[in-house]
Amino acid sequence: EPEVTQTPSHQVTQMGQEVILRCVPISNHLYFYWYRQILGQKVEFLVSFYNNEISEKSEIFDDQFSVERPDGSNFTLKIRSTKLEDSAMYFCASYAGLATDTQYFGPGTRLTVL
Amino acid sequence: DQQVKQNSPSLSVQEGRISILNCDYTNSMFDYFLWYKKYPAEGPTFLISISSIKDKNEDGRFTVFLNKSAKHLSLHIVPSQPGDSAVYFCAASAVRGGSNYKLTFGKGTLLTVNP
């Protein structure tokens, strides 16, 4: 069964450093998402991406965040200058674009900012 | 801003009995509701969904009920099995599909099914 994959599974970084989280969505899907879950809190929407541009972003997704689909396969989330409060589980999701379908999530990347 | 609320952080049931997980929402624009299941070290996995035009949807052991007037939905698992032990997230969206399709999640309920 096709699945969303994410790398790395765990990323540790120093505050102020740049990180790139990588995702490979399901191959025929058209819509891509990043969500995050801070420990003990709910899963929160960050950004949606369709047709090579951002469709919608939350207030969390400020200028420090960017997304890219560099090669038609990978979907990346970049955080330019990480803060302690960016420590969270980051989930990538993809969606085929059919009204009867749903969003499929990857296993997540745990980001720890020290 | 808790638009989707799951007020029970945990629930414990005996194998073979019914599990009932509850979810309330405040945003009347929500039109599509989903339940996801999450095991440790894995991403959320889609379980079942319901559109606002329905009040019930059934898939095997899983049934979701929607009460729009009360802004309440529930997930019933009958019979419960130890493998059902996981965190269950309620999620909602104002649209079903398209570029504005995004999910708003509750905090989750940890279900433990005891053998």
Side-chain angles (χ1 to χ4, degrees):
Chain A
E1 184 175 326
E3 58 182 17
V4 177
T5 60
Q6 290 185 243
T7 55
S9 57
H10 191 187
Q11 174 89 48
V12 181
T13 190
Q14 295 291 325
M15 188 170 57
Q17 294 295 304
E18 175 183 287
V19 294
I20 298 175
L21 310 183
R22 292 183 167 79
C23 168
V24 178
I26 295 173
S27 62
N28 63 340
H29 284 193
L30 302 176
Y31 297 84
F32 314 109
Y33 307 84
W34 285 100
Y35 292 81
R36 80 171 185 190
Q37 185 181 26
I38 295 172
L39 188 63
Q41 299 188 25
K42 62 181 180 177
V43 177
E44 300 174 287
F45 168 79
L46 291 179
V47 65
S48 58
F49 190 86
Y50 170 70
N51 200 25
N52 282 320
E53 62 183 24
I54 290 174
S55 302
E56 188 171 349
K57 57 185 180 180
S58 73
E59 58 188 26
I60 302 168
F61 195 89
D62 61 22
D63 292 345
Q64 292 301 311
F65 291 87
S66 62
V67 289
E68 195 177 36
R69 190 157 158 81
D71 56 11
S73 159
N74 291 283
F75 179 51
T76 62
L77 174 69
K78 182 193 290 187
I79 309 175
R80 286 190 187 80
S81 178
T82 50
K83 302 189 277 285
L84 295 176
E85 53 265 37
D86 293 327
S87 295
M89 196 74 168
Y90 287 80
F91 295 105
C92 173
S94 71
Y95 165 62
L98 305 170
T100 56
D101 208 345
T102 191
Q103 294 183 19
Y104 292 87
F105 284 76
T109 292
R110 179 167 299 284
L111 176 65
T112 302
V113 182
L114 302 176
Chain B
D1 175 25
Q2 282 197 72
Q3 297 188 64
V4 177
K5 302 177 193 176
Q6 293 177 258
N7 292 320
S8 298
S10 62
L11 174 68
S12 183
V13 300
Q14 284 299 119
E15 181 178 6
R17 306 294 291 270
I18 184 171
S19 295
I20 300 177
L21 297 102
N22 293 303
C23 177
D24 297 291
Y25 62 96
T26 57
N27 188 341
S28 57
M29 298 299 292
F30 286 147
D31 194 50
Y32 186 51
F33 304 90
L34 308 90
W35 285 93
Y36 280 82
K37 179 170 72 173
K38 185 182 179 304
Y39 293 117
E42 294 185 13
T45 302
F46 171 72
L47 198 55
I48 192 169
S49 63
I50 188 166
S51 167
S52 63
I53 62 173
K54 294 186 173 182
D55 55 18
K56 177 182 174 182
N57 188 26
E58 194 171 350
D59 183 3
R61 296 186 297 114
F62 302 92
T63 303
V64 55
F65 296 91
L66 175 62
N67 183 334
K68 275 196 74 175
S69 60
K71 294 191 175 68
H72 177 84
L73 61 155
S74 61
L75 174 68
H76 292 211
I77 306 174
V78 184
S80 301
Q81 299 172 353
D84 296 330
S85 298
V87 176
Y88 288 78
F89 290 102
C90 173
S93 175
V95 298
R96 185 183 180 187
S99 57
N100 294 322
Y101 178 33
K102 67 176 184 183
L103 298 178
T104 300
F105 283 87
K107 285 190 173 183
T109 297
L110 173 62
L111 173 66
T112 302
V113 180
N114 301 302

